[in-house]
Amino acid sequence: MGVLYAADRDLIFYVHHANVDRMWYIYDNVLKRKNIEDPDWLRLNSSFIFLNETTRPIRVTVKDSTNLAKLGYTYPDLPLSWLDCKPKADRKGLNLTKVSVPKASEVLPIKLEKPISFVVEQPKKSRGGQEKAEAEEVLKIKGIEFDKGETVVFDVFVNEDHTSKCNPCKAKSLGSFHILAHGHGKKSTTSRSFTISGVLEELEADDFDSILVTLVPRRGVVTIGGIEITFVPKP
């Protein structure tokens, strides 16, 4: 799956992409989120050539793919129990004054070879209801450098002061960074953002001056360049 020229020969390829497409359908039709309107993303010249059912080449634009009716199929409206099923925090109100960890600026950049924790300052605390409705608080990990020939995975947690308890199924988990090996050893650098508004509210930590961030490597090695908390307008 990580080797682009041969990925479609893997039997899971179609199932994987069909489920990604299904998640888009849920986002658009069940969650009723605002669709992407960025002209750069929807521009007509952003297109791909496919073979239709008669093996005739046709050009499909990115904009066409946002409307499943045009593509001739849809997904059944099945129960989605996971929508309202999220883990509850087992411990709230972590007191950072009792946790001896460095600031992010004191340890980054760093080669992530073992679990590491550091404190990140919040640019603004105790946001009002209107502010939360207009913008999402996001943790952005910058300068993630990795070898494209290696599969890399690390998990991200907030306000978890015991690395032995870091579990992706816990409320303190923000998510994971995943990169599949692509068959060659070139270095690449990227960034990854994680929404933290809901997690901080669940942990009763949205009015803290700082939060504790823990990175736990699961596979491969990456270098972390920096980290920051920003606010992104909601669509």
Side-chain angles (χ1 to χ4, degrees):
M1 285 289 285
V3 183
L4 297 182
Y5 80 91
D8 57 352
R9 298 180 185 178
D10 192 313
L11 295 178
I12 201 174
F13 178 86
Y14 178 79
V15 178
H16 167 72
H17 279 278
N19 194 49
V20 171
D21 193 53
R22 171 178 165 270
M23 296 304 292
W24 178 268
Y25 173 83
I26 293 172
Y27 175 91
D28 198 27
N29 294 275
V30 179
L31 300 182
K32 303 295 184 183
R33 299 294 176 86
K34 186 178 180 181
N35 224 323
I36 296 175
E37 297 179 349
D38 187 330
D40 287 337
W41 195 83
L42 295 172
R43 64 186 187 276
L44 294 178
N45 62 347
S46 180
S47 61
F48 304 88
I49 301 296
F50 294 98
L51 299 181
N52 66 8
E53 64 276 10
T54 64
T55 70
R56 180 188 173 205
I58 59 171
R59 184 178 296 275
V60 179
T61 66
V62 171
K63 188 174 183 178
D64 290 337
S65 68
T66 64
N67 187 340
L68 294 187
K70 283 188 175 182
L71 302 179
Y73 63 90
T74 187
Y75 291 94
D77 293 323
L78 301 175
L80 301 171
S81 58
W82 51 266
L83 276 180
D84 300 310
C85 182
K86 63 179 182 179
K88 296 295 182 181
D90 55 359
R91 182 159 51 86
K92 299 182 178 182
L94 173 66
N95 189 345
L96 292 180
T97 61
K98 297 182 179 180
V99 180
S100 179
V101 291
K103 295 181 179 180
S105 58
E106 297 173 345
V107 297
L108 301 180
I110 191 172
K111 195 172 185 178
L112 188 61
E113 298 177 298
K114 61 182 180 180
I116 183 173
S117 298
F118 45 80
V119 173
V120 181
E121 293 186 3
Q122 292 208 71
K124 188 174 184 179
K125 63 177 185 178
S126 301
R127 294 191 300 152
Q130 184 64 29
E131 290 177 300
K132 292 180 179 180
E134 294 177 350
E136 199 79 66
E137 191 167 5
V138 171
L139 180 76
K140 184 176 183 179
I141 302 177
K142 304 181 293 183
I144 306 173
E145 184 179 286
F146 58 95
D147 189 325
K148 283 190 173 183
E150 184 178 16
T151 294
V152 175
V153 182
F154 67 83
D155 296 333
V156 184
F157 300 86
V158 62
N159 284 13
E160 177 57 85
D161 55 336
H162 295 288
T163 56
S164 61
K165 296 181 180 180
C166 288
N167 186 320
C169 296
K170 286 191 172 183
K172 297 176 182 179
S173 171
L174 294 182
S176 301
F177 174 87
H178 293 259
I179 289 290
L180 286 174
H182 279 67
H184 47 77
K186 292 183 179 180
K187 293 289 185 179
S188 184
T189 304
T190 187
S191 62
R192 186 59 52 87
S193 296
F194 299 88
T195 300
I196 62 175
S197 303
V199 175
L200 294 183
E201 285 187 18
E202 180 69 25
L203 298 175
E204 298 181 354
D206 54 339
D207 62 344
F208 282 18
D209 292 321
S210 305
I211 62 173
L212 180 69
V213 175
T214 299
L215 307 180
V216 181
R218 301 298 186 187
R219 184 170 179 176
V221 178
V222 300
T223 297
I224 305 297
I227 195 166
E228 66 177 355
I229 295 177
T230 60
F231 297 101
V232 178
K234 290 185 177 179

